[in-house]
Amino acid sequence: MSSNKSLKIWIDGELLNQADAKVSVYDHGLLYGDGVFEGLRVYNGKIFEPEAHVRRLYNSAKAIRLTIPMTPDQMIAAIALTAKANQFNDCYVRAVVTRGIGYLGLNPTKCPNPTVFIITDLIEMYPKEMYRNGMAIITASVIRNHPNALSPRIKSLNYLNNILAKIEAVDAGVSEALLLNADGNVAECTADNIFMVRDGLVITPTTNDGILEGITRGAILQLCGKLQIPCVERTIQRYDLYVADECFLTGTGAEVIAVTKIDGREIGSGKPGPITMRLLEAFHKHVRGEM
Ligand code: PMP
């Protein structure tokens, strides 16, 4: 879903009309996927967990030796300004920092000025009935990037690994694909973290399993604490998911969504489980500041 009104886009310090907000074909974000980004949400006029998102953005930039030409506070202010300029009370935010304009070679030191832009728009969620009935996923044949090749903890503009897995999901007629890591353990989905529930215990892979440290994932772990639902970060295998009582995904766009089928195996009762539904409800309250 995208808003059909003409949007204001924040780009390098200016708010421009959508049609005028352009980046160069020499931008290394485009030529090499050299850059970092964040996806955030505005709920009820308030950015959800701005500090956590901005920390991750600046850490991603640091990991690829990219200096963002503004402070974290200025970034948060620019995001708020963009959402306000578009009169959005609830929206999705995409904040992108590229290496900037350079030459056709790789050397990033030849790109003196990073490009920064912020888009606010309506959010494409999964269909409503999927939140009620659960979704099916498959395991992709491609594995998640090895952390020593390109750490999945870096939210870089290089999403080909995820896109290749997403193509497999689309081919299989499902909305998400699970990626395993190089050890064959469960990592995450193409744009969501994964959780399972077994005997009342909520389990999600550790950051060492090669995942993006999701902000929604962090919020869910905190909510488990508040609700006194036992939870743990632990390496899991595909078998653990197949025999789980419940499974769900988390992400800025998806929020919390039950997985009821993996690789043709029904998970638990085949319906969204009670702990998943409790956490989904708690998350909705949390984002509106009610919990
Ligand atoms: N994993 C990947 C690969 C992602 O791109 C995302 C973000 N959509 C997530 C997990 C979830 O992270 P967050 O909760 O911060 O959106």
Side-chain angles (χ1 to χ4, degrees):
M1 182 172 42
S2 154
S3 145
N4 38 26
K5 67 181 177 184
S6 172
L7 295 169
K8 293 279 184 199
I9 313 287
W10 192 100
I11 179 159
D12 294 330
E14 282 184 289
L15 274 172
L16 297 185
N17 289 324
Q18 194 171 326
D20 303 320
K22 295 194 170 125
V23 294
S24 163
V25 293
Y26 281 89
D27 193 301
H28 279 211
L30 176 62
L31 287 175
Y32 295 115
D34 185 356
V36 293
F37 76 101
E38 266 305 314
L40 309 86
R41 289 284 282 271
V42 172
Y43 291 104
N44 247 347
K46 273 188 69 183
I47 305 169
F48 179 64
E49 302 226 4
E51 290 82 15
H53 277 285
V54 164
R55 193 180 319 122
R56 186 171 68 183
L57 180 69
Y58 282 71
N59 283 342
S60 289
K62 186 174 188 183
I64 69 161
R65 288 192 57 187
L66 170 64
T67 305
I68 299 178
M70 56 204 286
T71 66
D73 283 347
Q74 286 170 334
M75 180 67 74
I76 294 172
I79 291 169
L81 182 77
T82 312
K84 209 166 160 214
N86 291 301
Q87 288 154 8
F88 279 132
N89 215 30
D90 289 273
C91 67
Y92 177 83
V93 179
R94 177 60 56 89
V96 181
V97 186
T98 79
R99 190 73 67 179
I101 297 172
Y103 69 141
L104 289 180
L106 287 178
N107 188 349
T109 64
K110 300 209 171 162
C111 307
N113 301 308
T115 304
V116 184
F117 58 88
I118 300 164
I119 305 168
T120 54
D121 206 341
L122 298 178
I123 176 74
E124 186 180 324
M125 303 267 289
Y126 293 119
K128 274 206 171 63
E129 61 274 12
M130 227 179 238
Y131 286 87
R132 280 194 301 272
N133 304 329
M135 79 192 311
I137 65 172
I138 50 119
T139 306
S141 69
V142 294
I143 61 164
R144 191 74 177 103
N145 284 330
H146 192 287
N148 291 336
L150 174 62
S151 175
R153 295 177 77 174
I154 301 171
K155 200 165 169 64
S156 85
L157 290 179
N158 245 290
Y159 254 51
L160 261 184
N161 181 209
N162 315 52
I163 289 164
L164 291 178
K166 181 79 176 186
I167 289 170
E168 294 187 37
V170 173
D171 283 349
V174 298
S175 302
E176 255 293 18
L178 171 69
L179 291 120
L180 305 177
N181 61 26
D183 295 327
N185 296 320
V186 171
E188 61 180 341
C189 289
T190 67
D192 300 305
N193 290 114
I194 190 159
F195 284 73
M196 59 167 273
V197 184
R198 184 89 199 267
D199 296 332
L201 177 67
V202 173
I203 312 170
T204 195
T206 74
T207 46
N208 289 339
D209 290 318
I211 61 166
L212 181 75
E213 207 171 343
I215 308 299
T216 321
R217 172 185 179 277
I220 289 298
L221 290 172
Q222 274 187 3
L223 285 171
C224 281
K226 274 195 190 166
L227 296 169
Q228 297 187 318
I229 300 170
C231 67
V232 63
E233 293 169 69
R234 180 199 285 171
T235 297
I236 59 181
Q237 294 178 328
R238 206 153 38 140
Y239 169 82
D240 298 311
L241 293 179
Y242 290 161
V243 301
D245 300 326
E246 301 180 33
C247 178
F248 62 90
L249 308 182
T250 65
T252 294
E255 300 184 333
V256 178
I257 186 158
V259 172
T260 47
K261 198 179 256 190
I262 306 178
D263 300 331
R265 282 107 173 144
E266 209 159 75
I267 304 305
S269 66
K271 300 219 159 54
I275 293 184
T276 303
M277 293 320 264
R278 252 184 99 193
L279 286 168
L280 189 150
E281 201 193 315
F283 185 75
H284 283 159
K285 283 191 179 156
H286 177 61
V287 299
R288 305 226 158 243
E290 294 159 20
M291 191 171 168

